Amino acid sequence: MTDLERLDPPAAAAALRATPDGARGFLGVDPVTQNDMAIAGELTRLGAHVFRRGQALLGFVPNSEQPRQATVATTSADPDLMTEFLTFLGSYQRCTSYVAMVPSGSAAESTFNGCGFHRTGTLRGHRYQTGQYQDVHVYFATVGDLCRS
Amino acid sequence: MMLRGYRAGDLELLSGTWLSGELLGLPLPNWPVLAEPATVGPPSDETSELCVAPGTGFVRYCDVDWVHRRARLEIGVRREAVDSAELLISAAVAYGFRTLSLRRVYGWVTPATHPPPYLCERAGLQREATIPSAVWFDGRPVPREIWAAVRRD
Amino acid sequence: MSFVTLRHFTLDDIAARTGLLRETRFQANLTDFAVSTADDALLANQRRTIAEEHHVKQIFTLCGPNDETVGFAWITTIDWRSQSCELSFGVLPKFRGGFGITAVRAALHYLRSELNMQVIINQVLDHNTMLQSAESLAAASRVRCEFDSYTVGQWRTAMFWTDTEDDARIQDLKVAQRRRDLAERIRAKANQAS
Amino acid sequence: MTSTVLRAPASRPATGAPAWSARACSDSDYDDVLAFFSEPDFFFRTAEPDTRSEWEIRKLVGADTRLLLADDEPAGLYALEGFGGEHGCHYQLHLRLRAAAPNAWWHSAFEEIVRALTWKKELVRLAVQVGEFDGRGLAFARSLGLTEEGTLASVVRHGGQRYGYVFFARIWALTS
């Protein structure tokens, strides 16, 4: 997993904006309603880390109340890429469990299902987008749940 | 229950022996004598809103998001005012909907702290999700639940 | 009527917008503070808006069919709690006449469906009939402020009104109805011809 | 032009009016300022005064607001905000007295503020905006005979409802 390129917040904001629609809700930011400076500020406030692998963007935010857990996000629908990223977090961040906040109906749902996450709840009307409130599903996995890639 | 704007004189209401970030910030028993109390910073910018119920505690809306019309709610209750907790949480939800005109108010509830079960329901909050090992408490990671109230309009 | 899209205003757009702020027709219609403001002050103001003022002011670039810049829109007097804000905009000189109405509609649609705004405040100086005739302006306006400002040698009267949710619905219905009528006429003509 | 030329008021303020004075809000004044905002209808640049926290009140007051004193007792706040270019001589007035102040005081405070402003500066347009929910403010603005220019509907929420802002103004004859 050496070819993960780490992006600082401004570069991450630009990369998220360049992602065709894949980035709305990524770690809670939204290139449609926030400009790059606002996104960079939010990523910094969250203590988020964003990486690029080819066309895909991957990100995590450590859980300050329980640092062995991280919230993760991806703009790619490829479960294997996410599994590799989680293994990377396991070895470099000593993460033992992962959470993902996935807008209902977004491509990332299949990604997380595909690599061993299971849904543990739904946040009702958590986001507003294109004129409507949409639910956000909560996905969870322990390091043991992850499929062997 | 009347909520009013925060004043510098209310600073001591902002710390206590509750689990930090908790929706139901009730004082916990056997808090280690050398452990720092949980503290919340005084309101200082638009990202959070904090109101005070004098003598009882505070209600705090963090991560206020005006596009999604939501905020994460925390309350902190003084040891002497625990029996007013229900009034405070109900006032907090009502203020979020009516005065801030938010559409969604949500927060963390940690079962390991044994909060009285009816408190949230009576304030119109429902459990939406559980996240295992989401907070370190009393020597081990324990699950945390997300409870929320959504305004019907 | 061509298609207009919105994107966030960036540092690269500052030069084009500064030019617009300095253009006399714009100054007569909106504000002529730019005349007495040095270049670097205008540059610094717009940079600060991009970097720090999201909560109080946001600027958007209006793009034409092949993404060229046709003008700018900006929202001020933002009351997030009340979901209301004031919308101002300026179309670049060479695109005037073609893009006005579409640009306003694109901006209003974005404010409602993405920023979750519900009440949009419009302000126009009464002589500015770029978009609406004097009659329709008088009909729409709810507030009339005499001596509001003095721009390019003249006292101006400012007119204000708000577009609320139901105004938007009525507006959309009208547009939909016009499309249906148009489709109907085309069908009728096609039937005659065949 | 429908301007009414403002006659200079009598040198001695009308009977019943207090002796007015004003100063910038210093830190020692802030207990009084915060007390004003604890009144639910102290609508000074906000529709929700009594739930604003201290930092927000300090921001609302800012540098341009002056503390109004009646017979040396803190009675309220006012600010004159320039609008548009300086050459437009267009100001918006924010004036608020505490609940206990008699209605008549609003009149004499307004007159003294205008007299002080026009003492040193040309004034062409003085505007006042009042929320539809603000009964006291509307009564004050209407009792002054300001021109009512219309209502900008549903732009502000108060107590869970939508209200508009009513625009008032007085225009001065162009003297220069």
Side-chain angles (χ1 to χ4, degrees):
Chain A
M1 198 77 204
T2 51
D3 48 12
L4 259 184
E5 177 200 2
R6 201 184 177 302
L7 303 175
D8 61 21
L16 285 166
R17 185 169 307 287
T19 309
D21 200 35
R24 298 200 73 176
F26 182 91
L27 293 182
V29 299
D30 187 339
V32 171
T33 58
Q34 296 169 300
N35 69 14
D36 285 11
M37 299 289 281
I39 292 175
E42 182 66 4
L43 292 175
T44 306
R45 190 183 69 79
L46 288 169
H49 303 268
V50 180
F51 301 81
R52 181 186 1 240
R53 172 88 181 303
Q55 289 306 323
L57 295 174
L58 299 138
F60 81 94
V61 176
N63 172 353
S64 54
E65 304 273 0
Q66 210 283 77
R68 302 287 67 75
Q69 182 172 93
T71 299
V72 292
T74 177
T75 58
S76 139
D78 172 9
D80 298 337
L81 181 58
M82 175 49 74
T83 306
E84 277 178 47
F85 181 56
L86 299 176
T87 315
F88 161 77
L89 287 182
S91 47
Y92 284 92
Q93 189 75 14
R94 200 164 65 86
C95 276
T96 52
S97 65
Y98 307 97
V99 179
M101 299 291 185
V102 184
S104 166
S106 80
E109 272 193 89
S110 59
T111 312
F112 289 107
N113 282 319
C115 56
F117 281 70
H118 55 278
R119 193 190 290 188
T120 65
T122 296
L123 310 185
R124 294 164 297 161
H126 196 62
R127 297 191 70 254
Y128 180 82
Q129 178 175 310
T130 50
Q132 285 173 346
Y133 291 93
Q134 63 176 192
D135 294 344
V136 169
H137 300 308
V138 180
Y139 279 83
F140 175 80
T142 65
V143 70
D145 298 334
L146 298 181
C147 317
R148 288 289 152 264
S149 64
Chain B
M1 171 164 285
M2 270 301 297
L3 295 178
R4 66 154 170 75
Y6 173 84
R7 301 289 183 266
D10 302 318
L11 185 62
E12 37 103 21
L13 285 177
L14 302 190
S15 66
T17 55
W18 52 72
L19 188 58
S20 70
E22 198 71 4
L23 171 60
L24 280 174
L26 297 172
L28 299 177
N30 47 54
W31 190 271
V33 288
L34 297 184
E36 297 285 330
T39 30
V40 161
S44 57
D45 58 38
E46 291 88 10
T47 57
S48 77
E49 170 107 357
L50 186 143
C51 289
V52 162
T56 302
F58 68 86
V59 296
R60 178 172 186 247
Y61 305 84
C62 4
D63 309 331
V64 180
D65 191 307
W66 295 109
V67 170
H68 304 305
R69 315 294 308 166
R70 72 184 191 218
R72 184 171 59 76
L73 176 61
E74 296 175 15
I75 70 172
V77 185
R78 290 183 58 225
R79 195 165 288 284
E80 305 74 22
V82 174
D83 41 30
S84 313
E86 183 179 338
L87 282 175
L88 189 59
I89 186 98
S90 302
V93 174
Y95 178 84
F97 287 165
R98 201 169 130 72
T99 306
L100 297 181
S101 78
L102 295 172
R103 182 177 176 276
R104 174 181 165 78
V105 166
Y106 64 100
W108 293 110
V109 172
T110 305
T113 62
H114 307 305
Y118 57 84
L119 270 188
C120 287
E121 281 108 5
R122 289 216 192 118
L125 294 143
Q126 284 170 30
R127 183 174 56 212
E128 291 185 332
T130 301
I131 300 181
S133 57
V135 61
W136 192 273
F137 177 67
D138 195 9
R140 72 225 187 277
V142 296
R144 231 177 182 182
E145 297 168 347
I146 297 175
W147 288 62
V150 179
R151 200 179 60 192
R152 289 280 159 268
D153 41 46
Chain C
M1 268 310 174
S2 31
F3 192 63
V4 171
T5 56
L6 255 83
R7 63 170 170 76
H8 287 283
F9 182 70
T10 66
L11 297 177
D12 305 334
D13 299 317
I14 289 182
R17 183 163 180 270
T18 304
L20 177 65
L21 293 178
R22 293 214 186 289
E23 192 257 339
T24 43
R25 261 309 291 277
F26 175 87
Q27 287 167 0
N29 294 341
L30 266 142
T31 161
D32 60 3
F33 79 96
V35 171
S36 53
T37 317
D39 261 354
D40 44 22
L42 274 183
L43 185 66
N45 293 346
Q46 296 178 84
R47 264 218 190 99
R48 195 177 328 107
T49 300
I50 293 173
E52 298 156 19
E53 294 178 342
H54 327 290
H55 198 69
V56 292
K57 179 173 181 179
Q58 296 190 13
I59 309 177
F60 306 98
T61 303
L62 301 167
C63 303
N66 33 43
D67 264 350
E68 82 277 40
T69 299
V70 301
F72 301 95
W74 53 99
I75 53 173
T76 52
T77 327
I78 304 175
D79 182 338
W80 293 99
R81 194 180 65 86
S82 306
Q83 292 174 271
S84 69
C85 63
E86 179 166 340
L87 169 65
S88 310
F89 67 97
V91 178
L92 295 181
K94 61 177 188 279
F95 293 105
R96 283 186 188 144
F99 285 93
I101 303 273
T102 332
V104 173
R105 195 169 299 133
L108 288 173
H109 180 72
Y110 170 80
L111 292 178
R112 264 189 243 292
S113 63
E114 300 302 346
L115 280 191
N116 208 349
M117 286 294 159
Q118 290 185 342
V119 176
I120 315 295
I121 301 164
N122 303 285
Q123 176 191 348
V124 171
L125 299 185
D126 66 345
H127 69 285
N128 173 4
T129 52
M130 259 214 253
L131 262 184
Q132 303 187 38
S133 67
E135 299 71 32
S136 78
L137 188 54
S141 112
R142 291 291 168 273
V143 178
R144 217 176 153 290
C145 300
E146 285 183 347
F147 292 92
D148 171 82
S149 42
Y150 185 89
T151 62
V152 193
Q154 288 205 330
W155 287 103
R156 311 287 178 179
T157 296
M159 324 273 271
F160 292 84
W161 69 94
T162 50
D163 276 322
T164 54
E165 203 100 29
D166 22 37
D167 300 324
R169 221 168 284 121
I170 298 162
Q171 177 70 5
D172 293 344
L173 289 177
K174 261 194 243 155
V175 167
Q177 186 57 45
R178 269 207 298 274
R179 283 211 188 93
R180 273 197 298 275
D181 299 349
L182 190 62
E184 198 48 51
R185 279 204 300 280
I186 293 171
R187 252 197 301 283
K189 211 170 286 166
N191 298 349
Q192 278 165 9
S194 61
Chain D
M1 204 174 35
T2 59
S3 73
T4 50
V5 179
L6 182 69
R7 283 179 340 288
S11 58
R12 228 197 61 71
T15 53
W20 291 107
S21 59
R23 57 171 183 262
C25 300
S26 67
D27 270 347
S28 58
D29 292 317
Y30 255 89
D31 289 345
D32 295 307
V33 171
L34 294 174
F36 292 154
F37 279 88
S38 61
E39 295 174 1
D41 64 351
F42 192 79
F43 300 119
F44 185 80
R45 285 178 166 152
T46 174
E48 303 288 342
D50 55 336
T51 51
R52 293 317 78 215
S53 51
E54 188 158 341
W55 81 275
E56 212 173 331
I57 290 170
R58 285 179 180 272
K59 201 175 96 174
L60 288 172
V61 169
D64 63 346
T65 301
R66 298 178 64 70
L67 178 68
L68 254 179
L69 299 110
D71 304 326
D72 293 330
E73 278 302 312
L77 300 174
Y78 79 94
L80 283 161
E81 206 178 315
F83 254 77
E86 180 277 330
H87 50 280
C89 303
H90 169 186
Y91 294 88
Q92 179 174 356
L93 171 64
H94 303 276
L95 167 62
R96 204 77 211 175
L97 299 184
R98 55 185 169 76
N103 286 341
W105 282 17
W106 290 72
H107 264 250
S108 65
F110 178 84
E111 302 302 345
E112 284 305 337
I113 289 167
V114 170
R115 200 157 78 87
L117 178 60
T118 50
W119 184 256
K120 281 294 290 162
K121 279 189 174 158
E122 182 188 6
L123 174 58
V124 171
R125 173 187 167 83
L126 184 65
V128 174
Q129 283 176 27
V130 184
E132 280 180 306
F133 50 82
D134 176 6
R136 205 154 178 239
L138 289 175
F140 152 61
R142 287 180 174 134
S143 71
L144 274 175
L146 301 178
T147 309
E148 189 164 332
E149 301 176 315
T151 300
L152 199 54
S154 357
V155 289
V156 62
R157 279 197 174 106
H158 175 66
Q161 303 280 338
R162 272 202 177 282
Y163 294 92
Y165 269 103
V166 185
F167 283 58
F168 296 91
R170 179 177 290 174
I171 310 292
W172 269 256
L174 294 178
T175 46
S176 54

